[in-house]
Amino acid sequence: MAKVTVEEARQLAVGEGFSIADVDPASTPGLPGGNVDDAFGTFDDELSELQEMLYANGRAGTTTGSILLVLQGMDTSGKGGIIRHVVSETMDMQGVHLKAFGAPTEEERNHDFLWRFGPHLPEPGMISVFDRSYYEDVLVQRVKQMAPPEEIERRYGAIVDFERSLSERGVRIIKVMPHISREFQAENLKERILNPEKHWKYNPGDIEDRALWTQFMSAYEIAMKRTSTEFAPWYCVPSDDKDYCRTVVKTLLYRALSSLDLTWPPADFDPEVELERLERS
Amino acid sequence: MAKVTVEEARQLAVGEGFSIADVDPASTPGLPGGNVDDAFGTFDDELSELQEMLYANGRAGTTTGSILLVLQGMDTSGKGGIIRHVVSETMDMQGVHLKAFGAPTEEERNHDFLWRFGPHLPEPGMISVFDRSYYEDVLVQRVKQMAPPEEIERRYGAIVDFERSLSERGVRIIKVMPHISREFQAENLKERILNPEKHWKYNPGDIEDRALWTQFMSAYEIAMKRTSTEFAPWYCVPSDDKDYCRTVVKTLLYRALSSLDLTWPPADFDPEVELERLERS
């Protein structure tokens, strides 16, 4: 069955010389010929087992490993769909901590921008999924000049340091920008405006952000180039075909889980003794 | 396709004259002839849509409704499987708050027994799932005499008052005891002892609780009789066939969601104006 290989997914990583203009949101690298539907379910069973194994090791205290999936994209880029169709449908919620971040509260604004994210980082054995993240602080805050330029500058380095420290504590970090075209966003917004089942997802403020599209793309390009590292790479994933992006995210999760080299945690009891206790009970 | 009807599921509710000994854990009321497999998927699409609608109304501020699902059963009774195969697989995690409760911390023990549950109650539009709950405080605490008898007595009334108050604020409460036989538990524990993929789920303390089976059944019976109310009924669900219990829980969730009489929230914007703004953008 067609699928995006780990190698193909890895090629979407942001590296030296990255230019967002070079990524065609309508392309499906690694899946030419529209095999996206076929590929979507491919990893489900393996992913599901690997995630249970990670959770089991966390519970048993036999791993320091965990996963942080950061989703950061323009309105209607498909973050919610990734959470629903990749995370909810393949993972056991007991091992997942999902957190959507909105505008910071007054208390949060009185702290360093990274402060409010700490409580939501994954414990060993867990997968944290951030729907928006501290990258808002170098994206919307840059575009709308909500912080002084020197503070925005400082944040890129602070983020790299923060992520390095997480990585050293065993957190595998995956950062995904589902990259859609401006035209595709228009279609999606139109659907939200016209379809009563989607009204609740529409926010008139989306049009204001849309007017700043070029500035946002530039801010994304800068943020991804400045903070894509070996220990916390960015993936700029074409997403006009939402299933393509979801398939890639599955592949990246599979790779991260595999890289933890887990096995089922050993028994912390003597099976023979316990079997006898059970039989006597 | 065979399914457990709402009426059949409702008949599992604990009422006057309830005796746990009358519930055969191996039975499948409403699904005679082993049609459980067929029934399992029946509600998925409807459940999924109703849950999204609930979440949408919560986001739009157009409902005060929410759902609390309490799962309380003996070890290996299938609470985790309900969370995985009913909740994770049919619901969007964005609208679900899952919380597993272990032994209380010292700080929690210094407060009233209900204190630690407050922060995990559902906001409007949300579904909270409690994996164990404040019922531990009248089950294990009663069986193991961890609190004085008069305090245990007090708690039944406190729980009814607490749940009434939740109900008055729009929380639909569903309480499920997946009821397994002592023999079925032995099979499950044996599997956990012998299968390396399940070792992590085994706890030698489970055998000690198992020795108190009769006392636990009596404590469950008393707790369910004392706290099964119109606004927060208990369901004692036969669970030696795990799929049967899961099917019933789906039916109960479906009924609770339906009872909120939701529609998609109306637009809080003028579609014509927004369409024009979009087209100009």
Side-chain angles (χ1 to χ4, degrees), chain A residues 1 23-24 43 48 56 105 134 167 169 185 215 217 243 264:
Chain A
M1 191 181 276
V23 181
D24 175 2
F43 278 116
S48 194
T105 63
Y134 41 88
S167 162
R169 278 145 55 200
Q185 191 194 47
Q215 293 91 317
M217 290 306 109
D243 280 341
W264 291 103

Side-chain angles (χ1 to χ4, degrees), chain A residues 180-193:
Chain A
I180 56 171
S181 64
R182 202 165 183 281
E183 295 68 36
F184 186 59
Q185 191 194 47
E187 282 174 41
N188 292 331
L189 289 175
K190 191 171 173 184
E191 172 76 5
R192 291 183 179 184
I193 291 169

Side-chain angles (χ1 to χ4, degrees), chain A residues 1-270:
Chain A
M1 191 181 276
K3 64 183 182 184
V4 181
T5 65
V6 167
E7 200 38 58
E8 285 156 351
R10 286 283 294 158
Q11 284 169 20
L12 300 167
V14 170
E16 285 292 311
F18 170 77
S19 164
I20 202 165
D22 293 343
V23 181
D24 175 2
S27 63
T28 58
L31 285 180
N35 283 316
V36 173
D37 278 355
D38 278 355
F40 188 57
T42 308
F43 278 116
D44 287 13
D45 293 344
E46 288 142 295
L47 253 185
S48 194
E49 183 174 352
L50 281 171
Q51 187 247 328
E52 188 180 359
M53 205 183 275
L54 173 61
Y55 180 68
N57 278 277
R59 287 285 295 270
T62 46
T63 187
T64 55
S66 65
I67 290 182
L68 172 61
L69 174 64
V70 172
L71 301 175
Q72 190 73 54
M74 297 296 284
D75 293 318
T76 83
S77 61
K79 300 182 297 292
I82 292 170
I83 291 164
R84 175 142 209 169
H85 298 289
V86 178
V87 181
S88 294
E89 284 178 13
T90 53
M91 312 261 160
D92 187 342
M93 286 178 64
Q94 293 177 93
V96 177
H97 177 68
L98 168 65
K99 178 67 183 173
F101 293 98
T105 63
E106 194 183 332
E107 186 191 16
E108 289 167 348
R109 282 197 308 271
N110 286 335
H111 288 83
D112 181 64
F113 76 105
L114 289 170
W115 180 78
R116 66 181 177 134
F117 301 94
H120 302 288
L121 293 169
E123 293 169 56
M126 295 290 292
I127 299 181
S128 283
V129 180
F130 284 5
D131 178 358
R132 303 185 187 273
S133 66
Y134 41 88
Y135 283 97
E136 291 287 305
D137 296 274
V138 290
L139 293 168
V140 65
Q141 294 224 355
R142 180 184 177 105
V143 169
K144 299 193 180 171
Q145 300 173 11
M146 294 159 73
E150 60 277 16
E151 168 61 10
I152 300 286
E153 272 303 304
R154 183 190 74 82
R155 289 177 184 172
Y156 298 113
I159 288 174
V160 171
D161 291 344
F162 178 67
E163 292 179 340
R164 181 185 297 109
S165 147
L166 292 182
S167 162
E168 287 167 358
R169 278 145 55 200
V171 186
R172 295 283 196 276
I173 305 165
I174 306 166
K175 301 181 295 195
V176 171
M177 178 206 181
H179 181 35
I180 56 171
S181 64
R182 202 165 183 281
E183 295 68 36
F184 186 59
Q185 191 194 47
E187 282 174 41
N188 292 331
L189 289 175
K190 191 171 173 184
E191 172 76 5
R192 291 183 179 184
I193 291 169
L194 295 178
N195 182 347
E197 298 188 10
K198 306 238 169 154
H199 283 345
W200 66 281
K201 295 186 177 182
Y202 181 76
N203 175 356
D206 296 350
I207 303 285
E208 283 130 49
D209 284 2
R210 182 172 161 75
L212 299 166
W213 190 273
T214 312
Q215 293 91 317
F216 267 107
M217 290 306 109
S218 165
Y220 269 99
E221 182 177 288
I222 294 165
M224 290 196 282
K225 285 174 81 165
R226 296 283 296 267
T227 63
S228 193
T229 57
E230 205 175 319
F231 47 83
W234 266 108
Y235 296 91
C236 180
V237 184
S239 298
D240 279 8
D241 183 329
K242 291 182 176 198
D243 280 341
Y244 175 76
C245 180
R246 292 169 193 168
T247 302
V248 169
V249 175
K250 275 192 190 174
T251 306
L252 294 172
L253 282 167
Y254 173 77
R255 174 176 177 271
L257 282 162
S258 304
S259 77
L260 291 167
D261 281 328
L262 298 169
T263 53
W264 291 103
D268 57 358
F269 54 85
D270 180 334

Side-chain angles (χ1 to χ4, degrees), chain B residues 3-268:
Chain B
K3 65 182 182 185
V4 181
T5 65
V6 167
E7 199 38 59
E8 285 156 351
R10 287 284 293 158
Q11 285 170 18
L12 299 167
V14 170
E16 286 293 311
F18 170 77
S19 164
I20 202 165
D22 293 343
V23 181
D24 176 2
S27 63
T28 58
L31 284 181
N35 283 316
V36 173
D37 278 355
D38 277 356
F40 188 56
T42 308
F43 278 116
D44 287 14
D45 292 344
E46 287 141 296
L47 254 185
S48 193
E49 183 173 352
L50 281 171
Q51 187 247 329
E52 187 180 359
M53 206 183 276
L54 173 60
Y55 181 68
N57 278 278
R59 287 284 296 269
T62 46
T63 186
T64 56
S66 64
I67 290 181
L68 171 61
L69 174 64
V70 173
L71 301 175
Q72 190 73 53
M74 298 296 284
D75 293 317
T76 83
S77 62
K79 298 183 297 294
I82 292 170
I83 291 165
R84 175 143 208 167
H85 298 289
V86 178
V87 181
S88 293
E89 284 178 13
T90 53
M91 312 261 160
D92 188 342
M93 285 178 64
Q94 294 177 91
V96 177
H97 176 68
L98 168 65
K99 177 69 183 172
F101 292 98
T105 63
E106 193 184 333
E107 186 191 13
E108 288 167 349
R109 284 197 305 272
N110 286 336
H111 288 82
D112 180 64
F113 77 105
L114 289 170
W115 180 77
R116 65 180 177 137
F117 301 94
H120 302 287
L121 293 169
E123 293 167 56
M126 295 291 291
I127 299 181
S128 283
V129 180
F130 284 5
D131 178 358
R132 303 185 186 272
S133 66
Y134 41 87
Y135 284 97
E136 291 287 306
D137 297 273
V138 290
L139 293 168
V140 65
Q141 295 223 355
R142 180 184 177 105
V143 170
K144 299 193 180 170
Q145 301 173 13
M146 295 160 72
E150 60 276 16
E151 168 61 10
I152 299 286
E153 272 304 303
R154 183 190 73 82
R155 288 177 185 171
Y156 299 112
I159 287 174
V160 170
D161 290 344
F162 177 67
E163 292 179 341
R164 181 186 297 109
S165 147
L166 293 182
S167 161
E168 286 167 359
R169 279 144 55 199
V171 186
R172 295 285 196 276
I173 305 166
I174 306 166
K175 301 181 295 195
V176 171
M177 178 205 183
H179 181 34
I180 56 171
S181 64
R182 202 165 182 280
E183 295 68 37
F184 186 58
Q185 190 193 48
E187 283 174 41
N188 292 331
L189 289 174
K190 191 170 174 184
E191 171 78 4
R192 291 184 180 184
I193 291 170
L194 295 177
N195 182 346
E197 297 186 12
K198 306 236 169 158
H199 283 346
W200 67 281
K201 294 184 177 183
Y202 181 76
N203 175 356
D206 295 351
I207 303 284
E208 283 130 50
D209 283 3
R210 183 171 162 75
L212 299 166
W213 190 272
T214 312
Q215 292 91 319
F216 267 108
M217 288 307 108
S218 164
Y220 269 99
E221 181 175 287
I222 294 165
M224 289 195 284
K225 284 174 83 166
R226 296 282 296 266
T227 63
S228 193
T229 56
E230 205 175 320
F231 48 84
W234 266 108
Y235 296 91
C236 180
V237 185
S239 297
D240 279 7
D241 183 329
K242 291 183 176 197
D243 279 342
Y244 175 75
C245 181
R246 292 170 193 168
T247 302
V248 169
V249 175
K250 275 191 190 176
T251 305
L252 295 172
L253 281 168
Y254 173 77
R255 174 176 176 272
L257 282 162
S258 304
S259 78
L260 291 166
D261 280 328
L262 298 169
T263 53
W264 290 102
D268 57 357

